[in-house]
Structures are given as structure tokens and as C-alpha cells.
Amino acid sequence: MLAPSDNQYISFGPEFGQRVLVFVDTEEEFDWTQPKSRDSTSVKSVKSLRKVHSLMRGFDIKPAYMVDYPVATTPESVEVLRALSENDGATIGTQLHPWVNPPFLERVGGPNSFPGNLPREVERAKIKALTEAIDENFGAAPIVYRAGRYGVGPNTEALLDELGYRMDVSVRPYFDYSDEGGPSFRNIRPQLYWTGPERRLLELPLTSTFTGGLRVIGERAFELATRVPRLNGLLSRTSLLGRVALTPEGIPLDEAIQAIELLVEAGTQIFSISFHSPSVEPGHTPYVRDARDLADFYAWWDGVLTTLTRAGVKPASVEEVVAAAHAQRDGKPATLAEHAASV
Ligand SMILES: [Zn+2]
């Protein structure tokens, strides 16, 4: 994935303020330690999303549920999410897990689990099948896309543009999956930018940052540290350099709060937070194994959303960010609706 040039990045005026969006990778339960399989299609944990959804609604956040094929085509999960979207304003977006998404033309596993590695026509057919299933079962065509395993490839942006998408959210800055055949996002900043062949598709990267005394040279120090394993251990043990992605999965609450405070101070305009839906029930993901982990998961959300609210960061939806970016490009102010914070 090519890093954008400086003039592709979007900086809003002060009227935009500081905003937060939550994306939920809404997907089937599967064993994270095992190779990918076409047979893991159970989506029973989706019903447990109602609880975290209402926690977020308490902070006026309308999450974007990024649904993959099993979720978009199983009546029980469709019913739960349709209600959250129709009654409560949640966004339904697209998440492509190619190994459980027809048409099944490729060999399962390895580099093929990053959908951007598939031949253009196979990637296109899978995105199209999923887009149509969402349109049919949720009553509206999705406008926001996330590649499973952050697996965007050389054709992804053009395909999204062609299929009517307005925003991609697959980029995870400072993370590098090239060891496993996936993309590298080392040279991409966590900031909204225009992309795609017509420069009319938006990329909203996940929020990630560096903390610790070496953060000012974070990316260079991190690169050096990954090449010198002993240095990596030393830097994180001495808290000189930490890499923090905004997610309750594997990032302790105190580290997330420290990162948020630094980012608020630095004037970050959009915070993008993510988690995987099976984490709302113990035993599905490596992050939530038991009841205690689940309690920590809820405490994380409460702590992070309280920190953001107190710092004046307000919620925004995908649709509002798309509208603001286009307004700014048309020379109009990128003002968003005022959200009444309840904390
Ligand atoms: Zn996923």
C-alpha cells in the first residue's frame, strides 16, 4: 500500500473540533490459534453486542458495525444489528473475511487470508457479494469498508470506489504485516486522507501512536528496535518507547489513557477505536478468556470514553465525517452536529 503524499491528508478547521468513532469488527467466532477455515461461521456472540452498544450510547456514540459475510447472512445476527441500526442510528459497514465469503475460488489460508492479495476479479467478486448481501438484508448499501486482517492490496481502493464506497478503514499506522504476506503501514500517519484513483475515497486509519520518552522519534526508533530485538525489549522495559493502538484488545486502560492525553494535546482531530465483536463473550478471542477479562473490557470502554468526553472529544458518525470532508473540499465549513455528551 502506497503511503499518501502530504497533500492527500485532510486537516479540518477549528469548527470540526476533536471527534471519536468506534468500529466493531463484527464477525463469526473462530479459534485464533488455528489456521483459517471455511467451517467457522457461528455468529452467536453478536447478540451480546447489545450491552456494549448501550454503554456506548450512554456516551452518545453510534458505533459502526463492520459486518462480514456470516454476520450479514445469518437471520439471528441480522435481526440484532438491524435493530441497532434502525432504532439507534448505528452504521452498518462491510468487513471482508475472504475465507468465509463466497465465491470460493481461492485456496484457504496463508497470504490468501489478506483479501488484497487475491486476484483482482476474485477480490472484486467477494466484495460485491458481501455488499449485495448487506444491501439486501439491512436495507441500505454500505459506504464504509474494512479488509479482514487489514489486508488491503493494490486493487482494493479502485474496487471500493467502483462499488460505491466512500470510506476505507483498513489502515493500521505503524503496523507491518509483511512477514505474513500482508501489507505494511509503516509510513502512513493516523490522519484522514483522500485516496483512490479519483481521490474521492476517504481513508480513516485506526488511531495508533507512540508513548514514552522516545516518542518524538517514535517511528524511526521503532524501526530500529524491530531490527535489533534486544533493543526492542530494552526500550519497552524502560518505558522509553511504547506503540499503542486504540483498542481494548491487548492495550491496558492506563496505556490507552496516556496515549489519548498525548493525542488530545497534539490536536488529533479524529480518534478511531476498534475491537472484534466475539470479545464481548468470554472464550472466543485471546483478549477476553474469562469473566474477569470481560469486566476489564467494560472498564476499558468506560475509562476511555470518560477520558475522551472530559477532554472535549465529541462523537461523530462515518456519514458525518464523509460529509465534512466533502464540504471542506467544496470550500464550505466542515461543521458537525453538536452531540450532547451525557457525562
Ligand atoms: Zn476480522
Side-chain angles (χ1 to χ4, degrees), residues 256-306:
I257 288 177
Q258 190 196 1
I260 288 167
E261 284 166 350
L262 287 168
L263 289 165
V264 166
E265 186 72 27
T268 297
Q269 292 191 311
I270 304 182
F271 293 81
S272 169
I273 316 181
S274 276
F275 71 97
H276 296 85
S277 63
S279 284
V280 296
E281 283 183 355
H284 300 311
T285 71
Y287 311 108
V288 179
R289 291 150 304 175
D290 50 31
R292 198 200 146 114
D293 287 347
L294 189 58
D296 288 347
F297 175 88
Y298 282 109
W300 192 95
W301 280 108
D302 197 56
V304 159
L305 296 180
T306 299

Side-chain angles (χ1 to χ4, degrees), residues 309-320:
T309 304
R310 289 197 181 134
V313 178
K314 296 193 166 91
S317 66
V318 167
E319 293 78 2
E320 287 171 320

Side-chain angles (χ1 to χ4, degrees), residues 25 27 95 97 148-149 276:
D25 288 3
E27 58 195 47
Q95 190 208 170
H97 276 188
R149 308 199 72 204
H276 296 85

